[in-house]
Amino acid sequence: MSETNETELETLTLPLDGWHRAHGGRMVPFAGYWMPVQFDGIMAEHQWTRESAGLFDVSHMGQLHLSGDDVVAALETLVPGDIAALKPGRMRYSLLLADNGGILDDLMVTNAGDTLYMVVNGAVKWDDIAHLREYLSDKITINHLEDQALLALQGPKAVDALARLVPGVTDLVFMRGAGFEWQGHALWISRSGYTGEDGFEISLPAEAATAFADALCAEPEVKPIGLGARDSLRLEAGLPLYGHDLDPETTPVMADLGFALSKRRREEGGFPGAERILAERENGAVQKRVGLIIDGRQPVREGADVLDAEGNMVGRVTSGGFAPSVGKPIAMAYVPVAMAEPGTAVQLGQRGKIHQAKVAAMPFVPHRYVRAGASK
Amino acid sequence: MSRYFTEDHEWIDLDGDIATVGITDYAQGQLGDIVFVETPEDGKQFAKGDEAAVVESVKAASDVYSPVSGTVTEGNSALDDNPALVNEDPEGEGWFFKLELRDAGELDGLMDESKYKKFVESL
């Protein structure tokens, strides 16, 4: 046997690994898998997605089916969203909460008919499954769909390209999904994503992923996009990234994700950390996640300090970088509530240098979702 | 005028005792889209290996080390407004800074163009 290298053993490959390499993807380890950080270049890929359609491989994410009697009520003991109100084919953003109200993960949950379909973050999917298994009764079945790939097609022309392969998708609107078929393969497609643009997320059997990616990229609107542009797009869209902008030390109120606390659930309670979270909602949390626009051209990144007028550290930058569509460096940070109003001037300290910034409303780039009832 | 290359993917043009320093085409390709460059001020003194400049791509910040010892005579102010020059013309208009060389002996052992080319191919 040849020598083995421990780190190589630890980094796994996804169904489209060879496809990415053949398309010039620069592969890096991410969430335990080899994934493409870029193809043509982050700036070009970012702009392409905003103007046309970008294909993202997000097969590292965890796809779960939850089923069993009272599965809805069972899941509601772990998340603050109104899952019972989800009609078939409807989905909702929600949060897996620890007993103290800290965020264990953010996720999408869909009423897929017989089951609840959940998509969770790749980096914490094993922890999520362990948590669900520990807290849900044995009557609930958790099926980890490890043989499913997950693709996202994002951008204003995503609908044109995808509809040529799967005509029915034009009937979907934002945050709705349905089952479709392509060349004999079952697809679950929702109109959703992580870029702020219109677009779709497509769950499909791993063995069909290469052919489907080829078919999509044969459409003139579509190019493959790497993780680098995925990050700059979601940052501009004001969407938090778990493990950076959200973690067990942050609560839904601190993270400014109050919309994930459904009205019925706020009134009834009964989710982890409800007492603390509802009190924070009433009285305000100590800190809040905000957007920042940085003066000058130098990016201020995760880990930089937020300073008050006297130079005391009062907060932290959790994501940051140059925003191609804004043309300036932007960031997300946790700051004291007193400094959270848009327009507030703040100072940031990074590698011994002070940067001036202003709190800005998010999203930095307007969302362009195609919602139910909206005229096209 | 002779051009030298380092294993840190910097190039040095020597004209008399003035060295012009930049990063190579390989280096800019690895960094990707460059969005910010901080060049050193005139008169700043560097020992070989000191942090001399900062280059930031969309993804990350990287330090550029002074490949030789000397005193800075000029930073490339064109990079303030147009950092993408480093992507477009890394071994020409996208130079970082010039310095007055303190010890020409430090150039011994640096690579010439053909050696550097082989070095990059071996990576």
Side-chain angles (χ1 to χ4, degrees), chain A residues 81-122:
Chain A
D82 191 345
I83 309 303
L86 283 178
K87 294 174 186 160
R90 304 282 180 108
M91 61 196 287
R92 174 183 284 287
Y93 175 83
S94 198
L95 301 162
L96 200 61
L97 296 176
D99 287 336
N100 68 356
I103 300 172
L104 299 174
D105 199 3
D106 63 341
L107 54 90
M108 288 288 185
V109 56
T110 307
N111 179 343
D114 303 340
T115 63
L116 293 177
Y117 168 57
M118 278 183 22
V119 178
V120 302
N121 278 294

Coordinates of all heavy atoms in Angstrom, one line a residue, chain A residues 81-122:
Chain A
G81 N -39.8 28.5 14.7 CA -40.6 28.8 13.5 C -41.9 28.1 13.6 O -42.1 27.1 14.2
D82 N -42.9 28.7 12.9 CA -44.3 28.1 12.8 C -44.2 27.0 11.7 O -44.5 27.3 10.6 CB -45.3 29.1 12.6 CG -46.7 28.6 12.7 OD1 -46.9 27.4 12.8 OD2 -47.7 29.4 12.8
I83 N -43.9 25.8 12.1 CA -43.8 24.7 11.1 C -45.2 24.2 10.8 O -45.4 23.8 9.6 CB -42.9 23.6 11.6 CG1 -41.5 24.2 12.2 CG2 -42.6 22.5 10.6 CD1 -40.7 24.9 11.2
A84 N -46.0 24.2 11.8 CA -47.4 23.7 11.6 C -48.1 24.5 10.5 O -49.0 24.0 9.8 CB -48.2 23.7 12.9
A85 N -47.8 25.8 10.3 CA -48.5 26.6 9.4 C -48.0 26.4 7.9 O -48.6 26.9 7.0 CB -48.3 28.1 9.7
L86 N -46.9 25.6 7.8 CA -46.4 25.4 6.4 C -47.3 24.5 5.6 O -47.5 23.3 6.0 CB -45.0 24.8 6.5 CG -43.8 25.7 6.8 CD1 -42.5 24.8 6.9 CD2 -43.6 26.8 5.8
K87 N -47.9 25.0 4.5 CA -48.7 24.1 3.7 C -47.7 23.3 2.8 O -46.5 23.7 2.7 CB -49.6 25.0 2.8 CG -50.6 25.7 3.5 CD -51.4 26.7 2.6 CE -52.3 27.6 3.4 NZ -52.7 28.8 2.7
P88 N -48.2 22.2 2.2 CA -47.3 21.4 1.3 C -46.6 22.3 0.3 O -47.3 23.1 -0.3 CB -48.3 20.4 0.7 CG -49.3 20.2 1.7 CD -49.5 21.6 2.3
G89 N -45.3 22.1 0.1 CA -44.6 22.9 -0.9 C -44.1 24.2 -0.4 O -43.5 25.0 -1.1
R90 N -44.4 24.6 0.9 CA -43.9 25.9 1.4 C -42.7 25.6 2.3 O -42.6 24.6 3.0 CB -45.0 26.5 2.3 CG -46.3 26.7 1.6 CD -46.3 27.9 0.6 NE -47.6 28.1 0.0 CZ -48.5 29.1 0.2 NH1 -48.2 30.0 1.2 NH2 -49.6 29.2 -0.4
M91 N -41.8 26.6 2.3 CA -40.6 26.5 3.1 C -40.4 27.7 3.9 O -41.0 28.8 3.7 CB -39.4 26.2 2.2 CG -39.1 27.3 1.2 SD -37.9 26.7 -0.1 CE -36.4 26.6 0.8
R92 N -39.5 27.6 5.0 CA -39.3 28.7 5.9 C -37.9 28.6 6.4 O -37.3 27.5 6.5 CB -40.3 28.4 7.1 CG -40.1 29.4 8.2 CD -41.1 29.0 9.3 NE -42.5 29.4 9.1 CZ -43.0 30.7 9.1 NH1 -42.1 31.6 9.4 NH2 -44.2 30.9 8.9
Y93 N -37.3 29.8 6.6 CA -36.0 29.8 7.3 C -36.2 29.7 8.8 O -37.1 30.3 9.3 CB -35.4 31.2 7.0 CG -34.1 31.5 7.6 CD1 -32.9 31.1 7.1 CD2 -34.0 32.3 8.8 CE1 -31.7 31.4 7.7 CE2 -32.8 32.6 9.4 CZ -31.6 32.1 8.9 OH -30.4 32.5 9.5
S94 N -35.4 28.8 9.4 CA -35.5 28.7 10.8 C -34.2 28.5 11.5 O -33.1 28.5 10.8 CB -36.5 27.6 11.2 OG -36.9 27.7 12.6
L95 N -34.2 28.3 12.8 CA -32.9 28.2 13.6 C -33.0 27.0 14.5 O -34.0 26.8 15.2 CB -32.8 29.5 14.4 CG -32.7 30.8 13.6 CD1 -33.0 32.0 14.4 CD2 -31.3 30.9 12.9
L96 N -32.0 26.3 14.6 CA -31.9 25.2 15.6 C -31.3 25.9 16.8 O -30.2 26.4 16.8 CB -30.9 24.1 15.1 CG -31.0 22.7 15.7 CD1 -32.4 22.1 15.6 CD2 -30.0 21.8 15.1
L97 N -32.0 25.8 18.0 CA -31.6 26.6 19.1 C -31.2 25.7 20.3 O -31.8 24.6 20.5 CB -32.8 27.5 19.6 CG -33.3 28.5 18.7 CD1 -34.5 29.2 19.2 CD2 -32.2 29.5 18.4
A98 N -30.1 26.1 21.0 CA -29.7 25.5 22.2 C -30.7 25.9 23.4 O -31.4 26.8 23.3 CB -28.3 25.8 22.6
D99 N -30.6 25.2 24.5 CA -31.4 25.4 25.6 C -31.3 26.9 26.1 O -32.3 27.4 26.6 CB -31.1 24.5 26.8 CG -31.6 23.1 26.5 OD1 -32.5 22.9 25.7 OD2 -31.0 22.1 27.0
N100 N -30.1 27.5 25.9 CA -30.0 28.9 26.4 C -30.3 29.9 25.3 O -30.1 31.1 25.5 CB -28.5 29.1 26.9 CG -27.5 29.1 25.7 OD1 -27.9 28.8 24.6 ND2 -26.3 29.3 26.1
G101 N -30.9 29.4 24.2 CA -31.3 30.3 23.1 C -30.2 30.6 22.1 O -30.5 31.4 21.2
G102 N -29.0 30.1 22.3 CA -27.9 30.3 21.4 C -28.2 29.5 20.1 O -29.0 28.5 20.1
I103 N -27.7 30.0 19.0 CA -28.0 29.4 17.7 C -27.0 28.3 17.3 O -25.8 28.5 17.3 CB -27.9 30.5 16.6 CG1 -28.9 31.6 16.9 CG2 -28.2 29.9 15.2 CD1 -28.8 32.8 16.0
L104 N -27.6 27.1 17.2 CA -26.7 25.9 16.8 C -26.6 25.8 15.3 O -25.6 25.2 14.9 CB -27.4 24.6 17.4 CG -27.5 24.6 18.9 CD1 -28.3 23.3 19.3 CD2 -26.1 24.6 19.6
D105 N -27.6 26.3 14.6 CA -27.5 26.3 13.1 C -28.7 27.1 12.6 O -29.7 27.3 13.3 CB -27.5 24.8 12.6 CG -27.0 24.8 11.1 OD1 -26.5 25.8 10.6 OD2 -27.0 23.7 10.5
D106 N -28.5 27.6 11.3 CA -29.6 28.1 10.6 C -29.9 27.2 9.5 O -29.1 26.5 9.0 CB -29.5 29.6 10.2 CG -28.4 29.8 9.2 OD1 -27.4 29.0 9.1 OD2 -28.4 30.9 8.6
L107 N -31.2 27.1 9.1 CA -31.6 26.0 8.2 C -32.9 26.4 7.4 O -33.5 27.4 7.7 CB -31.9 24.8 9.0 CG -32.9 24.9 10.2 CD1 -34.3 24.6 9.7 CD2 -32.5 24.0 11.3
M108 N -33.2 25.6 6.4 CA -34.4 25.8 5.7 C -35.3 24.5 5.9 O -34.7 23.4 5.9 CB -34.2 25.9 4.2 CG -33.6 27.2 3.7 SD -34.8 28.5 3.8 CE -33.8 29.8 3.1
V109 N -36.5 24.7 6.2 CA -37.4 23.5 6.4 C -38.6 23.7 5.5 O -39.2 24.8 5.3 CB -37.8 23.4 7.9 CG1 -38.5 24.6 8.4 CG2 -38.7 22.1 8.1
T110 N -38.9 22.6 4.8 CA -40.0 22.6 3.8 C -41.0 21.5 4.2 O -40.6 20.4 4.6 CB -39.4 22.2 2.4 OG1 -38.3 23.1 2.1 CG2 -40.5 22.3 1.3
N111 N -42.3 21.8 4.0 CA -43.3 20.7 4.1 C -43.3 20.1 2.7 O -43.8 20.6 1.7 CB -44.7 21.4 4.3 CG -45.8 20.3 4.4 OD1 -45.6 19.2 3.9 ND2 -46.9 20.7 4.9
A112 N -42.7 18.9 2.7 CA -42.5 18.1 1.4 C -43.6 17.0 1.3 O -43.4 16.0 0.7 CB -41.1 17.5 1.3
G113 N -44.8 17.2 1.9 CA -45.8 16.3 1.8 C -45.7 15.3 3.0 O -46.1 15.6 4.1
D114 N -45.2 14.1 2.7 CA -45.1 13.1 3.7 C -44.0 13.4 4.8 O -44.0 12.8 5.8 CB -44.7 11.7 3.1 CG -45.7 11.3 2.1 OD1 -46.9 11.8 2.1 OD2 -45.4 10.5 1.2
T115 N -43.1 14.2 4.4 CA -41.9 14.5 5.3 C -41.7 15.9 5.4 O -42.2 16.8 4.6 CB -40.6 13.8 4.7 OG1 -40.4 14.5 3.4 CG2 -40.8 12.3 4.5
L116 N -40.8 16.3 6.4 CA -40.2 17.6 6.5 C -38.8 17.5 5.8 O -38.1 16.6 6.2 CB -40.1 18.1 7.9 CG -41.4 18.4 8.6 CD1 -41.2 18.8 10.1 CD2 -42.2 19.5 7.9
Y117 N -38.6 18.3 4.8 CA -37.2 18.3 4.2 C -36.5 19.5 4.8 O -36.9 20.6 4.7 CB -37.4 18.5 2.7 CG -36.2 18.8 1.9 CD1 -35.1 17.9 1.9 CD2 -36.2 19.9 1.0 CE1 -34.0 18.2 1.1 CE2 -35.0 20.2 0.3 CZ -33.9 19.3 0.3 OH -32.8 19.6 -0.4
M118 N -35.3 19.2 5.3 CA -34.5 20.2 5.9 C -33.1 20.3 5.3 O -32.5 19.3 4.9 CB -34.2 19.9 7.4 CG -35.4 20.4 8.3 SD -35.3 20.2 10.1 CE -33.5 20.1 10.4
V119 N -32.6 21.5 5.0 CA -31.3 21.7 4.5 C -30.5 22.5 5.6 O -30.9 23.6 6.0 CB -31.3 22.5 3.2 CG1 -29.8 22.7 2.7 CG2 -32.0 21.7 2.1
V120 N -29.4 21.9 6.1 CA -28.6 22.4 7.2 C -27.2 22.7 6.7 O -26.8 22.2 5.6 CB -28.6 21.5 8.4 CG1 -30.0 21.3 8.9 CG2 -27.9 20.2 8.1
N121 N -26.4 23.5 7.4 CA -25.1 23.8 7.0 C -24.1 22.6 7.0 O -24.2 21.8 8.0 CB -24.5 24.9 7.9 CG -25.0 26.3 7.5 OD1 -24.7 26.8 6.4 ND2 -25.9 26.9 8.3
G122 N -23.3 22.5 6.0 CA -22.4 21.4 5.9 C -21.4 21.3 7.1 O -21.2 20.2 7.6

